[in-house]
Amino acid sequence: MRKLCRCGHRMSLGFRLVIYKNGIQVDRVPIMECDDCERYEVLSAVKSDLLDLLFQLEEQGETGLILFPEVNELADVLYGLFTDPMLEADLNEAMLVTSCEERINLLLDLYGCAQKSNDKNWMNEITVRLATLSNFVSKRQFSGAK
Ligand SMILES: [Zn+2]
């Protein structure tokens, strides 16, 4: 997960509490933060999902704390990797893509179960979770996984 800050220093992956208007708080949002100047930005791969979520919460008049990995599959995979004590190397994008592919396979198995039991709600829920991941993975494949 490499990216350079405007100041020229390296940015690294972290997670942060984002406080939005009307008391909406979303915790464990993946961000890239500068090692030097304290600038940070929401990870571009989840940015539009986060904005959608904030908009939705505002519409529903929701307040309080949401854990982003609980509502976003990509953030969940990322957070799992980030907090994995067995992880020895620096987290990189290729590892993330591999983990996403594993999660996709798992979800496809689950989808099969949901289909067998003809559970439409469950199937829809899995479809949403799959979409976030396959979006991310297919974009990476086109751009040649940097
Ligand atoms: Zn900087």
Side-chain angles (χ1 to χ4, degrees), residues 4-11 34-39:
L4 285 185
C5 179
R6 272 193 294 218
C7 76
H9 284 87
R10 211 173 81 105
M11 298 182 98
C34 180
D35 294 342
D36 192 57
C37 75
E38 290 179 13
R39 201 177 148 263

Side-chain angles (χ1 to χ4, degrees), residues 59-73:
E59 287 272 284
Q60 295 162 357
E62 198 84 45
T63 53
L65 185 70
I66 305 269
L67 294 178
F68 196 54
E70 282 180 6
V71 296
N72 186 279
E73 203 68 17

Side-chain angles (χ1 to χ4, degrees), residues 5 39 49 66 70 81 98 104 118 120 124 135 146:
C5 179
R39 201 177 148 263
D49 287 342
I66 305 269
E70 282 180 6
L81 274 176
T98 308
I104 288 172
N118 207 12
K120 290 270 185 297
N124 286 341
N135 249 337
K146 272 173 236 162

Side-chain angles (χ1 to χ4, degrees), residues 88-99:
E88 282 166 9
D90 253 7
L91 179 59
N92 62 44
E93 196 142 295
M95 289 157 75
L96 178 58
V97 170
T98 308
S99 295

Side-chain angles (χ1 to χ4, degrees), residues 105-129:
N105 286 332
L106 193 90
L107 288 174
L108 287 175
D109 286 348
L110 267 185
Y111 191 84
C113 295
Q115 213 168 17
K116 263 184 217 141
S117 50
N118 207 12
D119 188 333
K120 290 270 185 297
N121 286 338
W122 194 14
M123 283 160 71
N124 286 341
E125 186 208 307
I126 297 168
T127 307
V128 171
R129 292 170 65 188

